[in-house]
Amino acid sequence: MWGGQFAVGMADTMQRINASIGFDQKMYSQDIAGSIAHAAMLAKVGILTTQESETIIAGLRVVLQEMELGMFEFKVELEDIHMNVESRLSELIGDISGKLHTARSRNDQVALDFRMFVRDALFAMNQELTSLLLALLQRAEEFADTIIPGFTHLQTAQPVTLGHHLMAYLEMVIRDKGRIESLLTRMNECPLGAAALAGTSFPIDRHLTAELLGFDHPCRNSLDAVSDRDFALEFLSTASICSMHLSRLAEELVNWSSTPWGFIRLSDMFSTGSSIMPQKRNPDAAELVRGKMGRIAGGWTSLLMTMKGLPLTYNKDMQEDKEPVFEAYEQWRICVQVMTGMVGDFTVNAPRMREVAAQGYATATDLADWLVRTLQLPFRQAHHVTARIVKAANEAGCELVDLPLALMQEVEPRITQEVYGVLTVEASVASRQSFGGTSPVRVREAIAAARATYGP
């Protein structure tokens, strides 16, 4: 395809490092779709005859069918998906196949294929995240009243509900979906027709090919069209942020399912055993979700480093853009699917959650708030008084709700029996009725709002 001025062939090692067919064959359907649109456009503007275009398109559909059925032989010596398709097309329809490459280059062709692949992957991931969102929503509604300890610094802070906790992850998923939808809008420009870098002298209709391929419009600058990989970087960034969210939730599931915590039990479908310890139930699915985040984020870093020093326009370094995206997509998708499964079927030990939530003086803030509301103490003074009462409870070996009133009154004489009404974890949770708070009333409102947007 380009050997006219070369006297000898490639070195074997050069052929191996240069070829991309080992991975870019994943883009076969996008490559053929782009070629079909290009052939239709060439006929529309009179560069090809209608008969030539129809012959080329029919041949391309045969190639597509062979690939879909696993009957296609990919050849390393043809370097990439584009030339593998073109070579097979030539075998099927003869020299007329050579007219397909009029007014385009492999530079704009690969930019198109890759952009379409990423677009398809984003559509798929948006659906996967919707499934995860609905699973979180279902479990949040189920556990809207179930009390669980809330932590800061992994230390007992205040009681919350499990429903509220799960809805926090739902908010992360909503942001992940928002990043996907924003990227889909931003990247939906068609590079086809930019040719090698400068556009083409042929009278093509780039708006037509953009429309045929589902793009909003053509890329506006031919140099940028063939050299832009922002869409791939943003894909990897989005995947990395989302997988970080999944990793955080996975960490919670690992902790909650451990024997010292005993909050939940992961089902047999997402647990493994030990080859030596018969009693073990290992949360391997959650641990693998947690572990794969590094691979996904590593792909983001890899492509950033590849792109950071490249001048305009296409450079062979950019062949390194696809494998990080392909792997990240594969890992991201399985992680979301596995997390959706785990969220959907873990079982809860509500008494244990409530027991731990009541430990560690988790209602101390409620005591301080009561002192402010009832005794009109400035909050800083109420904080100091509460800290002294917590110390008294610690010395007495009991929780605040069990501390005798007389001991509280040694710290603040105006405290009355009424204070015990705010010191249970149930009262604490119910009182947090500010917008976005953990009160079951607010949690159910948040669930209803999410269902109104994302469905039942």
Side-chain angles (χ1 to χ4, degrees):
M1 61 183 161
W2 46 262
Q5 66 165 315
F6 289 79
V8 297
M10 287 184 184
D12 178 62
T13 51
M14 174 58 184
Q15 186 176 78
R16 295 205 310 271
I17 197 174
N18 188 59
S20 60
I21 190 59
F23 51 85
D24 70 13
Q25 63 184 262
K26 289 180 182 289
M27 303 188 300
Y28 73 86
S29 63
Q30 291 84 11
D31 190 76
I32 292 174
S35 290
I36 289 174
H38 187 64
M41 180 275 295
L42 291 177
K44 182 78 172 180
V45 300
I47 296 173
L48 294 180
T49 68
T50 299
Q51 181 60 51
E52 288 172 332
S53 175
E54 289 176 351
T55 301
I56 288 171
I57 290 172
L60 287 167
R61 287 180 174 146
V62 172
V63 177
L64 177 62
Q65 185 178 42
E66 290 177 349
M67 290 180 171
E68 289 175 338
L69 294 175
M71 299 168 56
F72 189 92
E73 181 186 358
F74 294 99
K75 298 176 180 178
V76 173
E77 60 269 22
L78 294 174
E79 292 190 13
D80 56 33
I81 185 61
H82 323 300
M83 296 313 301
N84 270 265
V85 170
E86 187 173 320
S87 175
R88 179 57 179 149
L89 184 63
S90 177
E91 292 172 356
L92 290 170
I93 67 172
D95 290 345
I96 191 177
S97 64
K99 294 190 174 185
L100 176 61
H101 208 54
T102 305
R104 75 174 182 182
S105 161
R106 283 193 296 173
N107 291 356
D108 62 341
Q109 193 177 357
V110 70
L112 172 70
D113 293 0
F114 195 26
R115 194 176 287 248
M116 290 176 65
F117 180 93
V118 169
R119 186 177 64 179
D120 291 343
L122 288 168
F123 282 131
M125 288 310 306
N126 207 22
Q127 288 300 310
E128 298 288 3
L129 286 174
T130 296
S131 297
L132 175 57
L133 184 152
L134 293 174
L136 287 165
L137 203 53
Q138 176 65 37
R139 301 316 297 274
E141 189 166 39
E142 184 179 348
F143 301 118
D145 297 284
T146 303
I147 292 174
I148 188 172
F151 297 100
T152 62
H153 309 277
L154 207 56
Q155 305 296 314
T156 300
Q158 294 176 322
V160 297
T161 67
L162 179 56
H164 191 55
H165 197 107
L166 293 174
M167 288 295 284
Y169 284 100
L170 182 137
E171 292 294 329
M172 298 180 206
V173 173
I174 289 173
R175 292 195 295 273
D176 293 328
K177 284 173 62 65
R179 275 181 279 272
I180 286 175
E181 290 155 9
S182 172
L183 175 53
L184 280 167
T185 298
R186 188 163 45 256
M187 68 171 286
N188 206 34
E189 303 177 338
C190 183
L192 193 60
L197 75 161
T200 177
S201 59
F202 289 95
I204 62 173
D205 185 346
R206 293 192 61 209
H207 289 84
L208 176 59
T209 48
E211 180 182 350
L212 291 173
L213 293 167
F215 290 98
D216 294 331
H217 52 78
C219 295
R220 289 176 291 272
N221 182 285
S222 62
L223 299 173
D224 183 58
V226 298
S227 65
D228 169 41
R229 294 298 183 271
D230 286 3
F231 63 91
L233 286 166
E234 288 193 67
F235 177 91
L236 291 167
S237 169
T238 300
S240 297
I241 294 170
C242 180
S243 65
M244 175 269 292
H245 292 153
L246 298 175
S247 181
R248 294 181 71 181
L249 180 52
E251 172 74 3
E252 306 253 38
L253 297 179
V254 170
N255 288 338
W256 291 351
S257 63
S258 69
T259 302
W261 293 58
F263 287 1
I264 67 169
R265 180 182 176 89
L266 295 174
S267 76
D268 291 355
M269 292 188 293
F270 296 101
S271 304
T272 66
S274 166
S275 63
I276 190 172
M277 295 169 284
Q279 83 283 7
K280 290 294 294 298
R281 288 180 59 85
N282 298 325
D284 282 8
E287 291 174 358
L288 286 166
V289 169
R290 189 176 59 186
K292 287 181 182 295
M293 191 268 159
R295 292 173 67 181
I296 294 170
W300 184 22
T301 303
S302 171
L303 186 52
L304 277 171
M305 294 303 100
T306 296
M307 296 300 299
K308 74 173 183 64
L310 299 186
L312 293 176
T313 55
Y314 183 82
N315 298 270
K316 194 66 171 181
D317 314 48
M318 292 165 67
Q319 185 167 289
E320 298 299 308
D321 58 359
K322 294 165 200 67
E323 288 181 286
V325 168
F326 294 162
E327 182 182 23
Y329 174 43
E330 179 182 342
Q331 302 302 328
W332 185 18
R333 191 168 192 176
I334 190 65
C335 285
V336 174
Q337 292 171 342
V338 166
M339 185 58 72
T340 301
M342 285 191 292
V343 166
D345 74 352
F346 68 74
T347 56
V348 168
N349 185 345
R352 173 61 179 165
M353 286 183 174
R354 198 267 179 207
E355 175 190 358
V356 176
Q359 297 172 356
Y361 311 110
T363 57
T365 305
D366 299 276
L367 172 57
D369 290 347
W370 184 88
L371 293 170
V372 171
R373 282 195 310 269
T374 305
L375 303 185
Q376 303 297 306
L377 294 182
F379 183 80
R380 287 303 171 200
Q381 183 180 349
H383 185 285
H384 181 70
V385 168
T386 299
R388 291 176 61 196
I389 292 174
V390 168
K391 181 180 179 183
N394 188 47
E395 291 172 350
C398 66
E399 294 296 327
L400 290 176
V401 72
D402 300 314
L403 186 66
L405 179 61
L407 292 180
M408 292 191 194
Q409 289 174 335
E410 287 181 7
V411 178
E412 172 49 67
R414 292 178 295 165
I415 295 176
T416 67
Q417 191 72 29
E418 177 190 339
V419 74
Y420 292 99
V422 303
L423 295 182
T424 65
V425 290
E426 289 79 9
S428 175
V429 165
S431 72
R432 306 292 168 181
Q433 295 206 18
S434 56
F435 181 81
T438 193
S439 165
V441 172
R442 294 292 171 256
V443 173
R444 289 192 173 89
E445 287 177 353
I447 291 168
R451 287 205 184 283
T453 301
Y454 299 102

